[in-house]
Amino acid sequence: MIGVAVLGSTGSIGRSTLEVLRRQRDHFRVVALTCGRNREEFAAQVAEWRPAYAGLALPGQDERWPCGPDVLVEAATHPDVGIVVNAVVGAAGLDATLAALRLGKRVALANKESLVMAGDLVMQAACTGGGEVVPVDSEHSAVLQCVTGRDSGLGRLILTCSGGPFREWPAERVAQAPVVEALRHPTWRMGQKITVDSATLVNKALELIEAHYLFRLSYDALEVVVHPQSIVHAFVEFCDGSVIAQLGFPSMELPILYALTHPARLPDTGVRRFDPVAAGPLTFEPVRREVFRALDVGVAAGRAAGTAPAVFNAANEVAVSAFLDGAAPFGRIAEIIDRVVQAHHPGPAASVEVVREADRWARGRARDLVKSS
Ligand code: NAD
Ligand code: MG
């Protein structure tokens, strides 16, 4: 029985994780749960799973559980935890990722922001602590499934992208897109932040940076293709030109289960069986990079490396919450991120403190830009 901590248990990935664990009670037990909001749902989860540790990760008070940001690290480092499912959204997930890896635990990582902010530090923590990062993100899970057992000759990755709700919209309309439309993702049901990131294609930029650190490939070997049906999750090309892909109906439960069991597999009756006829025609098209500019801004930040990806991530978090609050139009998100990244002089991401400082600077700058619009 492996002990699991689920950080962000009330979110989209957190709930799907508990759904998977409900079917795998012979193999895993829930040792720790944390959430940010949704206290009542959290209370029901705690009653069902009776974890050894439960905490609310946001400041405040609740007589039932410990509260505050330290809760994430406490849950992630609990001695009975072998696997930490990090399903927190945003920069708040970084410390728990690092702490778990330093103690030699597996991190099933949905919180891609940790890897984007501090990719080298995260991979170093895994190396020195003996922990491992196993991606939950469907594209990266697909890549991992394609390369596992084939440990040489990896050449190029092509990550697929649904194109988001504005795939076919004219540029002028995209710039003024309302919040309700941005939150209407064509193929995935996810939390609000990642849904907006999918509409701007910031999510794909974050994923390219994530792939760079996970699979140690240069940005020249990382590509994106639009695939509106979200059936093929990634293509992996080997050095001889052979291509292997991983397919499935869109559901996060399969990548979550695989992140828990990799490189082994467990039978799972909860996942919809694949049916190529029902999947229908599969189509592929290039990204409209001139409309979804944030993708290239993110790739440039990834290439600049050091503190640049953390700045890209932080500016995006501020711009997305401004958009969701009605304080910035959709088109301003990419513009704000671009201006913050342009104004930044990246240095080496030598420590978590340096990364946090870059993150703070970028948030301040992005907030000023939101105010000045
Ligand atoms: P969500 O908003 O549905 O859930 C986030 C969870 O984190 C909630 O439990 C919330 O209470 C908690 N939380 C929010 N802010 C917090 C904070 N400051 N400190 C601690 N906890 C906090 O988000 P989601 O869609 O489940 O996404 C979670 C992560 O997984 C993101 O990094 C996202 O990019 C990634 N991801 C999600 C999907 C998906 O299908 N939803 C797919 C791939 C990757
Ligand atoms: Mg993804």
Side-chain angles (χ1 to χ4, degrees):
M1 288 285 264
I2 302 175
V4 179
V6 185
L7 313 183
S9 61
T10 56
S12 159
I13 293 288
R15 285 187 200 138
S16 298
T17 302
L18 293 178
E19 204 55 53
V20 168
L21 292 172
R22 225 172 252 125
R23 299 194 293 267
Q24 304 292 349
R25 289 187 195 260
D26 295 344
H27 300 276
F28 303 100
R29 70 193 166 95
V30 173
V31 170
L33 292 175
T34 80
C35 89
R37 291 168 290 267
N38 303 343
R39 292 180 193 210
E40 292 330 303
E41 180 180 354
F42 189 64
Q45 291 180 345
V46 171
E48 177 185 355
W49 295 95
R50 305 189 171 281
Y53 182 92
L56 281 179
L58 295 180
Q61 284 212 319
D62 194 300
E63 62 205 15
R64 294 167 286 184
W65 310 293
C67 296
D70 295 345
V71 153
L72 294 173
V73 170
E74 283 167 19
T77 57
H78 189 285
D80 296 343
V81 166
I83 303 179
V84 176
V85 179
N86 190 343
V88 168
V89 58
L94 176 60
D95 291 343
T97 297
L98 290 169
L101 293 172
R102 286 190 191 119
L103 287 179
K105 300 180 195 285
R106 169 177 294 197
V107 177
L109 190 69
N111 180 253
K112 60 190 94 186
E113 294 91 343
S114 347
L115 208 46
V116 169
M117 290 175 76
D120 284 327
L121 294 171
V122 167
M123 298 319 275
Q124 261 165 34
C127 198
T128 54
E132 57 180 339
V133 185
V134 184
V136 165
D137 220 339
S138 56
E139 298 78 0
H140 305 74
S141 174
V143 172
L144 183 65
Q145 293 182 58
C146 292
V147 301
T148 297
R150 300 183 182 94
D151 43 13
S152 66
L154 176 59
R156 183 169 65 117
L157 305 182
I158 306 171
L159 305 186
T160 58
C161 163
S162 71
F166 310 136
R167 180 173 63 89
E168 296 182 296
W169 286 29
E172 321 76 68
R173 213 177 138 212
V174 174
Q176 297 302 328
V179 170
V180 281
E181 296 287 345
L183 291 179
R184 202 169 286 157
H185 194 277
T187 48
W188 298 96
R189 293 286 154 267
M190 311 179 286
Q192 289 200 337
K193 189 252 179 191
I194 185 177
T195 304
V196 175
D197 288 351
S198 302
T200 55
L201 265 63
V202 162
N203 185 49
K204 239 9 88 166
L206 297 174
E207 291 186 356
L208 288 173
I209 300 170
E210 184 185 5
H212 166 78
Y213 289 111
L214 283 174
F215 303 110
R216 299 178 193 286
L217 287 171
S218 79
Y219 287 93
D220 290 338
L222 298 173
E223 291 175 26
V224 174
V225 68
V226 173
H227 170 42
Q229 299 82 20
S230 300
I231 298 289
V232 178
H233 302 303
F235 297 99
V236 176
E237 186 183 66
F238 291 86
C239 56
D240 58 358
S242 178
V243 176
I244 295 183
Q246 190 264 341
L247 290 78
F249 291 121
S251 159
M252 290 308 295
E253 293 184 18
L254 200 148
I256 290 167
L257 176 62
Y258 188 72
L260 297 173
T261 64
H262 163 81
R265 291 182 186 275
L266 282 175
D268 187 12
T269 50
V271 172
R272 183 179 168 197
R273 293 280 118 175
F274 189 59
D275 173 352
V277 176
L282 304 183
T283 60
F284 301 92
E285 60 196 48
V287 177
R288 293 193 296 155
R289 300 186 99 103
E290 67 299 346
V291 179
F292 300 102
R293 286 176 39 230
L295 176 60
D296 285 335
V297 174
V299 173
R303 286 182 190 270
T307 48
V311 164
F312 172 77
N313 177 66
N316 177 58
E317 288 190 24
V318 171
V320 169
S321 58
F323 168 67
L324 288 170
D325 293 344
F330 186 81
R332 282 279 280 161
I333 299 175
E335 193 190 316
I336 290 168
I337 304 169
D338 190 19
R339 287 182 60 182
V340 176
V341 170
Q342 294 285 343
H344 179 61
H345 303 286
S351 66
V352 182
E353 292 67 40
V354 169
V355 169
R356 288 268 179 229
E357 183 47 40
D359 174 282
R360 255 193 304 277
W361 174 86
R363 281 172 203 268
R365 195 87 185 197
R367 281 193 201 105
D368 291 345
L369 289 169
V370 170
K371 276 190 223 130
S372 70
S373 60

